[in-house]
Structures are given as structure tokens and as C-alpha cells.
Amino acid sequence: MVIYVDADACPVKEQVYRAAARYRVPVVVVANGFMRVPPAGVELVRVGGEPDAADDWIAARAGAGDLVVTADIPLAARVLERGAACLDFRGGEFSPRTIGDAVAMRELHRYLRDLGELPGGPAAISPRDRSRFASKLDAVLARLTREAGQ
């Protein structure tokens, strides 16, 4: 089991690092540029600045038993196809059953933004969101650990 973090815009990296240390799970932080990571148990992978470079790198490696942390819905769809679990930054879990709806809503929102009908982006991450994420992360890591027989 590995936790892959789509890190450039990830506001919950510290929660991931703490949970990974508790479960003794390696973390791979994938980013377009340099960022500080803990010295033990966390690997930083810097990919080029091309669009979707981090997504492509993660999608090529994540598989069954792994966890991906991302807010990118197309990336979530790609890793779910490979059997990985996937959480968004607010503690929502993407699943094969719900990913189609998420993709459709993403396209609808993009269309409405293009028309000027939907201003701005998502709200900032709140303390409640961070708490929800940490709780869901713990539950998913416990489930993946049980499934792996560890």
C-alpha cells in the first residue's frame, strides 16, 4: 500500500503525513515543483510543468490497495479504474458508483463558469473539512490495511 498525493494544491498534506506515520504506510508526494516533505516515509517526486504531468505520473502507478489523495476528478476516475481508493481534500471518497456523477457535475460547472453563470471556485478548506478529511483518511487506511491482511 502506498499513498499518492496530488500535492501542488493539496491543503491536507500534514494530515496525510500523520496518518501515514501511524499506519506505517509510505507516501509519495507528486508535484510540479519543490516542496518540503518529512525526512522519513515520504518521497517527493517532481514532475515537469506540463499540464497533467502529476496526474499522469500518479495514474500510471497507483493500483489496487493504494490510496490517492486528489481534488482532480479526471485523475480520480483514472485511478479508480486501476483499483485504487481515492479521497478528495474535504474527506469525500470517490467510488466507481459515484465517479460518473462527479465527472458530469464537473463538466456542468465548467459550462456554467464559461457562461458567466457560476462565479469563482470552491470555498476555502475549513477546519471542519480538515477534520472530516482526517477521519475519512483514517477509516480508509484501516479498511485498506484489513483488506491487505496487515
Side-chain angles (χ1 to χ4, degrees):
M1 177 186 345
V2 175
I3 301 171
Y4 293 95
V5 179
D6 184 8
D8 285 315
C10 180
V12 292
K13 290 186 286 291
E14 292 302 320
Q15 287 84 355
V16 171
Y17 301 153
R18 286 193 296 270
R22 278 195 316 276
Y23 283 89
R24 295 187 177 107
V25 176
V27 176
V28 178
V29 173
V30 185
N32 295 108
F34 177 79
M35 60 181 55
R36 294 188 189 279
V37 298
V42 180
E43 175 187 358
L44 173 64
V45 173
R46 291 176 60 189
V47 294
E50 302 84 29
D52 300 324
D55 298 352
D56 292 342
W57 194 95
I58 293 168
R61 288 160 181 83
D66 293 332
L67 173 62
V68 175
V69 177
T70 186
D72 187 283
I73 293 170
L75 174 58
R78 291 170 69 186
V79 300
L80 287 171
E81 286 178 4
R82 296 178 51 89
C86 190
L87 290 179
D88 70 23
F89 302 150
R90 296 175 192 275
E93 184 172 5
F94 295 105
S95 74
R97 188 176 52 83
T98 63
I99 194 65
D101 290 342
V103 170
M105 286 301 296
R106 175 184 181 269
E107 293 305 313
L108 175 61
H109 286 160
R110 183 169 59 183
Y111 175 73
L112 292 173
R113 275 192 304 277
D114 289 349
L115 292 176
E117 297 295 323
L118 190 64
I125 297 288
S126 70
R128 184 175 181 184
D129 292 328
R130 287 180 193 280
S131 177
R132 186 179 319 114
F133 174 81
S135 178
K136 186 64 170 186
L137 176 62
D138 190 64
V140 170
L141 288 174
R143 183 184 79 221
L144 292 174
T145 300
R146 278 192 312 276
E147 290 172 0
Q150 295 178 352

